[in-house]
Amino acid sequence: MFAAIRILERIVPAGGLLFGATSHDFPKHRKLSGSIKHKTAGVRIEAFATWVSDLATRLGRPHETVPEDPHGAIGTARLRGTLAWHIARKPGGLVALAIHYGHLRTSVASAYASRSRGGIHDLLDIETARATADTLATLNADLTDGAGISGPAARRAIHAAAQAPTFLGTILTARQARDLLNNPNTFVMCVYKPDKALCHREGTKDAPSLDRCVSTCANSARTDHQADLLIERAETIEKAAASSPEPLAERLNRNAAKLRESSERHHRDRITTDTPKESAR
């Protein structure tokens, strides 16, 4: 996706729309205003799918062809759902998803940006809920295999993960998505409970502000996998410090030491599904 965006940035003039009508009017090179229309985008999506399949066939890679869709053309409405699925499952993806689709409220077509049933807000709810269910399922599987979790919200996270089988495969509509997102035991990146959140110092809100996350928040929890990632990040920073000027190297090494300390704290405090409540710190 990022490579495609970089190519688009090279195609269009500096500061122009990535899908500006003039820049993408390859056959006629007309001077047009605004972006390409949704009908044109739909045609090009289908043409792209055909091109991918033809290329895969020529290269002897039939498993990479785009199969015929029994539901018809992909179009912009269905493509946005595919993009939303992938964005939501990237680290920090739910924030990126909200920002990305928030920018499209007045773009393309009314159905694409509608605030009514079936509109963009329903899509955000559904993809957020699906990503939440995926997180629950992954955590549940890890805990079942003996993985540990630490942090003030560790017990709530374990309880939420135990409900994962209830959510898997059930999120088909916006109403089902809202039922999951409104569940007080749902694990959504942090184990969010509004009255305990430190990211909202002025009153409570319906969702966490992940760009203002506070490490000492009572909603925080850390898994074994995340603790391992802290060590990987610390090692990367230490390598950078080794080739940096002394003042910068000192700062980098301090940051790496903090990451290692956080990982060590996790392994000291971690609990599992078998840890008695009275033994948890």
Side-chain angles (χ1 to χ4, degrees), residues 15 20 27 46 75 96 109 111 113 117 127 129 142 148 192-193 208 219 231 237 239 254-255 275:
E46 292 301 316
R117 177 183 293 274
E127 289 308 324
D142 289 344
Y192 189 63
K193 199 170 184 179
N219 288 332
I231 296 298
I237 292 175
K239 288 179 181 178
R254 284 197 300 271
N255 290 340
T275 304

Side-chain angles (χ1 to χ4, degrees), residues 150 222 227-228 230-231 256-270 281:
S150 66
R222 176 170 287 132
D228 292 341
L230 288 176
I231 296 298
K258 290 179 181 178
L259 295 177
R260 288 185 178 277
E261 181 184 351
S262 295
S263 180
E264 291 169 2
R265 187 185 309 116
H266 162 79
H267 288 291
R268 288 197 308 269
D269 299 345
R270 68 190 286 276
R281 300 182 184 182

Side-chain angles (χ1 to χ4, degrees), residues 81-124:
T82 301
L83 289 175
W85 190 96
H86 286 283
I87 294 172
R89 283 153 183 79
K90 293 289 185 181
L94 297 180
V95 175
L97 180 65
I99 293 173
H100 176 66
Y101 282 107
H103 287 169
L104 298 175
R105 285 199 177 101
T106 58
S107 302
V108 189
S110 59
Y112 196 103
S114 171
R115 292 173 181 246
S116 62
R117 177 183 293 274
I120 197 67
H121 291 274
D122 282 353
L123 174 66
L124 289 173

Side-chain angles (χ1 to χ4, degrees), residues 163-178:
Q163 302 178 59
T166 302
F167 299 131
L168 281 178
T170 64
I171 306 165
L172 302 174
T173 68
R175 174 172 291 184
Q176 291 170 330
R178 284 189 287 270

Side-chain angles (χ1 to χ4, degrees), residues 56 92 137 150 162 198 240 274 278:
S150 66
L198 295 183
D274 296 328
E278 58 270 17

